[in-house]
Every structure is written in C-alpha cells, then in structure tokens.
Amino acid sequence: METALPNVFVKEKLIGDYNDIIQLSKDGLFQKLLEGKEDKPKDDGYDFDLIVIGGGSGGLAASKEAAQYGKKVLVLDYVTPSPLGTTWGLGGTCVNVGCIPKKLMHQAALLRQALKDSSKYGWQIEDNVQHNWDVMTESIQNYIGSLNWNYRVALMENKVKYEKGFGEFVEPHKIKSTNARGKVKFFTAEKFLVATGERPRYLGIPGDKEYCITSDDLFSLPYCPGKTLVIGASYVALECAGFLAGLGLDVTVMVRSILLRGFDQEMAEKVGEYMEEHGVKFIKHFLPKRIEQIEEGKPGKLRVTSQSTDGTEITEEYNTVLLAIGRDACTRKIGLDIPGVKINEKTGKIPVNDEEQTNVPYIYAIGDVLEGKLELTPVAIQAGRLLARRLYGSSELKCDYINVPTTVFTPLEYGACGLSEENAILKYGEKNIEVYHSYFWPLEWTVPARDNNKCYAKVICNINDNERVVGFHVLGPNAGEITQGFAVAIKCGLTKEQLDSTIGIHPVCAEIFTTLSVTKRSGGSIVQAGC
C-alpha cells in the first residue's frame, strides 16, 4: 500500500509520490507522460539499448547513468594480461594500475620524509626504520580488491548486465564476447560506447617484453624492485621514479629529450631539479638498445645497453627496468572497421564530434581513446555521464574539456589548470600576457629547515581581458588540493584583481596566490626568507 503523499496518477496509472515526480521532471520524462509520449519498449530485435565496451571509470559511469533511465545496458570488460602475465579486476586503469595505487605509494614515500622531519618536532624515532614492500603492496591490493567488488555490486544494483569478456564487432550492430576460457557469446544493441582506454607501450628492442615491467605490473609486484631504471619522461615515469626513490631505492631515470612533454616546461624543469636533489639520478638524451638478463631472481639482474643521440654507448646493471614511454589506445583489435568507425591510423585514437559521437552515428567513444582530448579519469567519468543524459534524458549539456585541472604526484607535487606559459604566449602573444610568480616555503618545512625556495606558484593572465587568469601552476605539498579549489574560480572567469581582493588563510601554502605581486617582466626577486 502506498503511504507517501501525494500519490500522482496519469491516465489511471500510478506514477509515484512527490519525490518521484520531481525526479521525472528533472529527467524530462514527466512532460512525456502527460503528452502520452512515454518511452515504450521497442520491438527492434536488439538485445540491449546500449553496449559499453570497457569497464573502466568512464564506461562504468556511462552504463549506470543510462540504466537510471530504464535502459537495458551491457558492460563488457576484459583485461588482456601484460607480457609478464599481470591482470586485474573490474574498474579499469585508474583503480587497478593507475591513480589509486600510484597515490597510495606516493603517500608511503611521503611518510618516509615525515619520519625524517619528525625528530625536529621532538619525536624519537629509531634510525634503522625499514620499509616492507610486501606489506605495502598487500595492503594496497586489498583496498583495490574492495573497490573491484563495489563496482560489481553497483552494476547489479543498477541492473546493468556485466560480462567478463573481450568485446569485438562482428557485424554493424553485433558484438562478440570471448572470456578467458575461450567461451564465445554474441550480443546486439541499438547503440555502442567504446571506452577501452590505453595500455603501456613497449620499446620494440631485444628483451623489453621478456624482462621489463610497466605500470601494469609495478603496483602488484610480488617483490621489492631494488635498483631500478625508469625509462621515459612522462608523468607516469616521474611519479613512479619519485615514490620508488622515496621508499629508499636506488632509482635512475633515462630520458630521450624533455620532461613532462605537454606541461609547462618551467614547472617540469623544477620538478626534475627537485627529484635530482632528493636522490633520483637522470641519464639524459639516451635511449636503450637492448636489455639482457644476467641473473634470475626476484628481483634478478639485468644489463641495459643504451645509446645517446650522438652515438655514445653505455652499459649498466639494474635489478628492475620499468618502461613508461607512453600508452597506446586499445582500439585496433575490437573490430571497429566492421561498422566503419574511423581511427587515426598512427595513434589508434578515435576522432569524435563535440558529443563524443564517432563517424558512425550509433557508436560513441569516451576517455583515453579519444583523439585530442585529455587522458584523465574524471574527464572520462564526466563525459560518460553527460553522454548518457543526452542520449536518454532531455539534457543538452556537453563535456567541457577546457580548463581541466590536473596534478602530477611527483615528490614535490605539481598542480596545473589552464594554459602553460608556452601555450599562453602562442595564443595571446608574449606582450599580451602577464606572469605573476613567487617561491614559497611551507610552514611545516621551516622547523626541519629543508627545501626553502623550492615550492613555486605562478599565474598567467591575459592583459587584454581584464587580466583574466588563463594559466594556474603550483609546485608544492598538496598541490592537487590547492589546484582543485582554484579550478572552480578559473571556470568562473577568475581575474588577478579578484585574486588580490581575496583574503588568504594563514598559514597555508595556497595563500601565496592572494599576494602575488612580482611579474616575470619586472625581473624582481621572488626568493622567500620565511613562511
């Protein structure tokens, strides 16, 4: 018996109570009911309204959102084992082998620094404190396992069907699912969403797939990696090198050219300088030619032969070689050619319009597989949810890929939102931008007396638009927390005058942005003597 009041009937059919009507109105469905245009089951012969290929953050978000509109949804997810045999559960890269374990291992490294600082705060800690890799990885994997289970439960609660199988098109509206045992099933759908993400790239040299690991393997590695060579200059490379060194390991980074390509290069150089000062070694302008195993074990011993851009050859031995040279879109083996979906033949990326629609009208794509879009988990989640609302609700809101904040979790974290200084100059011209900047010294670091004039803040303003902030950059502890807050203001059109009129919170790192007064153009000193 219905007890909530008022109960609402349309054409003698009970629709629900007040809260139900409010939700239907928000979803644009109540008016359809009144007009007799409510969605009716279609006898189109399809098994599903929507099939999502890929059970990562974006695909899961889209599937659950579509199911909220009463749509029949299937999620296909299959993790092809890495060359070393590593695999994982539902949830995609971020949860299993990306953001989550990376941030937790970064935290483990920060705790080592906190132990060092603690003596100046009166804590008496034994000098021989040791780190246990096995305890750390087991704890992190247990947490990830709980997330995998939560995703399964969420799909069940939302009545989304889940198949642990590799999905590939066999006909324009038909897909084949193959599980780990080779069992095949076929499904059809009216619409499809490609959300297959990316996997780490290999070098294509002797010994790379046989002996190297990638981020796919690192976070569940059943032994401490020991002396490690990280190959690459990406944020993945620097983050992994940073926390491994922070745990006390001997770490070397081999880079071909610049650090953090695509990021503000002044900030990238400062990230690298800090890492070098804190024990990470860099081999610059070199590329590995071959990797040989000279001793088996966990870890074993590898010989790496590398060549510089000028032809110089060097050889060094390491316990572990971690490749972080980039990632490739997982689009080439899922049969996209059968329905005729165009991909970039060089990168495998999928071009889409501003509604994430491919050249085939009933096939959409989101996340890291998109051409020219940011490869960030929250972007994929937002795009997936908004896509489902446009397809099955009355929403017209599109994903905004402009001024998306991000953070690189290197030992000294780097947060950014908006344009790099290089791109701001390219877009507006050097004479039309003003760069305000300063070093700052976190109060917590003053007592142990470490790392003064290493943290750095910079805002880039468009002079011709009332000094609107077009670029925000911060290098310091908790950079992600700082950047997230300012990103909202930048979305709202933040200007330098508004920053200056904001009263800061004292004593915190973020308050530096309310007192920036020195411009790069002026050449004034930005060195700080205290908090």
Side-chain angles (χ1 to χ4, degrees), residues 113-114 116-121 441-451:
Q113 181 63 61
K116 292 180 180 179
D117 290 349
S118 66
S119 63
K120 290 291 186 179
Y121 283 97
W441 197 11
L443 178 64
E444 296 83 356
W445 295 7
T446 59
V447 170
R450 67 174 175 90
D451 297 321

Side-chain angles (χ1 to χ4, degrees), residues 19 45 96 101 104 125 135 143 204 211 221 225 249 275 278 328 350 352 363 378 402 406 428 444 518-519 525:
N19 292 326
N96 294 284
L104 292 173
I125 304 293
V135 170
Y143 175 63
Y211 307 123
L221 200 66
L249 302 183
M275 290 178 68
H278 286 259
D328 292 322
I350 303 175
V352 294
I363 299 178
I402 305 300
T406 189
Y428 299 111
E444 296 83 356
V518 179
T519 66
S525 174

Side-chain angles (χ1 to χ4, degrees), residues 354-369:
D354 63 354
E355 294 187 340
E356 288 78 44
Q357 188 178 43
T358 71
N359 64 296
V360 177
Y362 61 88
I363 299 178
Y364 298 79
I366 58 170
D368 292 359
V369 298

Side-chain angles (χ1 to χ4, degrees), residues 515-530:
T515 59
L516 292 175
S517 59
V518 179
T519 66
K520 273 194 174 181
R521 203 189 309 272
S522 73
S525 174
I526 58 170
V527 172
Q528 299 293 303

Side-chain angles (χ1 to χ4, degrees), residues 64 117 181 300 334 432 463:
K64 290 182 288 186
D117 290 349
R181 296 185 298 275
I334 59 174
N432 295 318
I463 294 173

Side-chain angles (χ1 to χ4, degrees), residues 146-165:
S146 72
L147 295 178
N148 298 146
W149 172 251
N150 289 341
Y151 288 131
R152 293 285 299 271
V153 171
L155 291 181
M156 288 188 287
E157 289 177 344
N158 284 277
K159 296 182 175 58
V160 175
K161 183 175 175 59
Y162 164 61
E163 279 284 330
K164 191 175 182 180

Side-chain angles (χ1 to χ4, degrees), residues 166-171 331-341:
F166 183 86
E168 55 184 315
F169 283 94
V170 291
E171 294 178 17
T331 57
R332 299 186 189 276
K333 297 180 180 180
I334 59 174
L336 290 177
D337 57 310
I338 290 175
V341 175

